[in-house]
Amino acid sequence: MNPVDKRRREFFGQAAAIAGAMIAPGLMLYEYAQAGDGAARPRAPGEPVNSKVRWGMLIDTTKCAPGCRDCVDACNRENGLPGTTRATDSQWIRKVDLKDLKTGKAVSLPVLCQHCAEPPCVDVCPTGASFKREDGIVLVDRHTCIGCRYCMMACPYKARSFVHENTTGQSPDVPRGKGCVESCTLCVHKVDKGGTPSCVEACAAAGHQAIVFGDLNDPSSEISKRVRAAATTQLRADLRTDNGVRYQGL
Amino acid sequence: MTAAGFLRAILAATLLLAGSGAGLVASAAGPAVDAARSGPCVEDPAVMRRSHMDFLKHDRDDTVRRGIRGIKHSLSACVDCHASKADGRVLGSEKHFCQGCHTYAAVKVDCFDCHASTARPSATAAAAAPGRTR
């Protein structure tokens, strides 16, 4: 590290310490600021999304059974996806089975768009079609997508699909068509109306309760309480994409 | 004026001259398309004829980028209202609302490559309910 960098670091370190000063035992200044208006107030009709909300998902892999596809099937149904798994078929959420070869410990987990705070797909998009909404949901604006697929290359999670063939039987709420890249939208058409993504609903309805969805910025939301209480991981945290999707038990 | 703008002006003028006022495009000059299931339209029909493409694109980003649902000029809402009473679609033949007029005006839109051209089941039920139908 050169001396200038070192001095800078020290300066920022001190600045951060001051900004995060304790104003009461256990209550940090920045938390206080957030608690003031962070508590999820439903958006009024016609009010745009804002960055007070950060939608996130917590997946408890200890409750996710190998072979269970309830979330995957629900996603396909909700979004009008064919549900086939050829290399060229769209998959917005898929099950991945992992095994630690040393210990033999196996985990099964659903992998979907991680809704990164620093999404590489957005960085590389030449038309601005890949974008992150103020509330943290990463989407493709299919009206500006030219189908170049740079974002698919950039995504570390293999979360995006390209639509290779003509589509039929779309849901009126989920348009999708040939020539564009698509991925998990966190069921934005439902979330905008106060709903919950279909995978989360299906997992809960089947009694697994492996997925929690909610506002990571609202300290009183279930997801915030859970990530505060237990150790959770972001996939490829080394890339510092700061994912909105977190995993427990990995 | 662009070629498209010119076409639009001519078509609008023709349709206005031929306008029956009864809310149906049907006349000697214009295409005969399915009547809406309910009303009124989101704008005056004469304004819609001329400017619906601009409205659709204008409000689109509000939903897609800013998450505002229930926009005034929602494409899925046009379909719910303008779908044929017979088969619930806005495309399919020259009688169908969006296709009929676009064929007449030699316009090709790609919206329905992605967007459903069929009314929601709930909209179909509402249209069938007495009192809601025009």
Side-chain angles (χ1 to χ4, degrees):
Chain A
M1 201 192 299
N2 73 40
V4 175
D5 277 356
K6 184 150 184 294
R7 247 180 289 126
R8 275 200 195 146
R9 277 204 189 176
E10 280 163 6
F11 172 77
F12 283 121
Q14 282 161 10
I18 294 166
M22 300 263 261
I23 55 172
L27 185 60
M28 301 293 270
L29 199 54
Y30 60 79
E31 276 180 32
Y32 181 72
Q34 225 165 42
D37 46 18
R41 175 179 54 89
R43 243 182 327 129
E47 188 192 336
V49 290
N50 59 62
S51 54
K52 284 179 192 147
V53 174
R54 166 108 200 259
W55 293 119
M57 215 182 241
L58 174 63
I59 299 174
D60 186 348
T61 58
T62 60
K63 295 181 182 160
C64 184
C68 174
R69 289 174 45 90
D70 288 340
C71 56
V72 179
D73 294 339
C75 175
N76 292 340
R77 246 189 334 270
E78 177 68 34
N79 297 299
L81 304 174
T84 43
T85 54
R86 287 174 304 164
T88 49
D89 291 333
S90 277
Q91 298 183 64
W92 292 10
I93 178 169
R94 64 189 198 278
K95 282 298 292 289
V96 173
D97 293 310
L98 301 174
K99 190 170 179 183
D100 186 328
L101 291 178
K102 289 221 173 80
T103 61
K105 183 180 187 296
V107 283
S108 182
L109 64 156
V111 176
L112 62 158
C113 170
Q114 304 286 305
H115 298 281
C116 311
E118 305 289 341
C121 55
V122 173
D123 291 342
V124 300
C125 179
T127 67
S130 263
F131 70 103
K132 187 181 71 165
R133 263 178 28 156
E134 290 286 312
D135 57 359
I137 304 184
V138 176
L139 295 171
V140 182
D141 184 340
R142 259 69 62 83
H143 306 101
T144 24
C145 173
I146 54 170
C148 74
R149 290 166 262 181
Y150 281 4
C151 57
M152 292 175 65
M153 296 290 158
C155 176
Y157 309 103
K158 227 178 162 180
R160 288 198 163 177
S161 303
F162 180 75
V163 184
H164 288 263
E165 285 160 42
N166 284 323
T167 49
T168 51
Q170 293 92 315
S171 149
D173 291 318
V174 189
R176 54 184 296 271
K178 185 165 91 173
C180 285
V181 173
E182 57 181 18
S183 58
C184 160
T185 66
L186 279 185
C187 285
V188 73
H189 57 289
K190 297 175 75 184
V191 169
D192 278 340
K193 295 177 186 148
T196 308
S198 289
C199 53
V200 182
E201 283 176 357
C203 186
H208 313 310
Q209 312 281 3
I211 319 179
V212 183
F213 169 80
D215 178 6
L216 288 164
N217 277 353
D218 172 5
S220 62
S221 68
E222 198 202 335
I223 188 167
S224 293
K225 290 181 189 154
R226 292 272 299 271
V227 297
R228 202 156 49 222
T232 58
T233 32
Q234 298 174 328
L235 295 184
R236 291 299 308 271
D238 57 316
L239 298 174
R240 299 201 211 161
T241 47
D242 188 5
N243 305 349
V245 179
R246 290 178 158 268
Y247 293 84
Q248 198 173 342
L250 267 193
Chain B
M1 194 187 277
T2 60
F6 183 64
L7 171 70
R8 197 188 295 178
I10 300 234
L11 181 82
T14 325
L15 290 174
L16 281 175
L17 281 176
S20 59
L24 215 84
V25 211
S27 79
V33 293
D34 293 326
R37 294 169 168 219
S38 57
C41 195
V42 287
E43 304 284 348
D44 186 66
V47 175
M48 280 313 266
R49 245 169 257 155
R50 189 187 282 270
S51 308
H52 61 277
M53 40 326 251
D54 301 330
F55 293 142
L56 278 168
K57 282 182 193 156
H58 182 268
D59 283 10
R60 179 175 80 188
D61 289 358
D62 277 349
T63 297
V64 179
R65 303 229 164 210
R66 287 180 280 282
I68 301 173
R69 300 284 150 178
I71 49 171
K72 189 174 182 195
H73 305 105
S74 157
L75 181 52
S76 53
C78 322
V79 174
D80 284 347
C81 248
H82 282 290
S84 140
K85 290 193 184 91
D87 62 4
R89 304 198 63 207
V90 291
L91 307 179
S93 77
E94 309 212 340
K95 288 269 301 149
H96 284 85
F97 187 76
C98 305
Q99 181 172 340
C101 198
H102 289 162
T103 305
Y104 180 81
V107 180
K108 196 166 181 291
V109 302
D110 69 352
C111 318
F112 298 111
D113 289 357
C114 293
H115 286 267
S117 57
T118 321
R120 291 185 173 85
S122 55
T124 312
R132 290 289 312 273
T133 337
R134 274 165 34 94

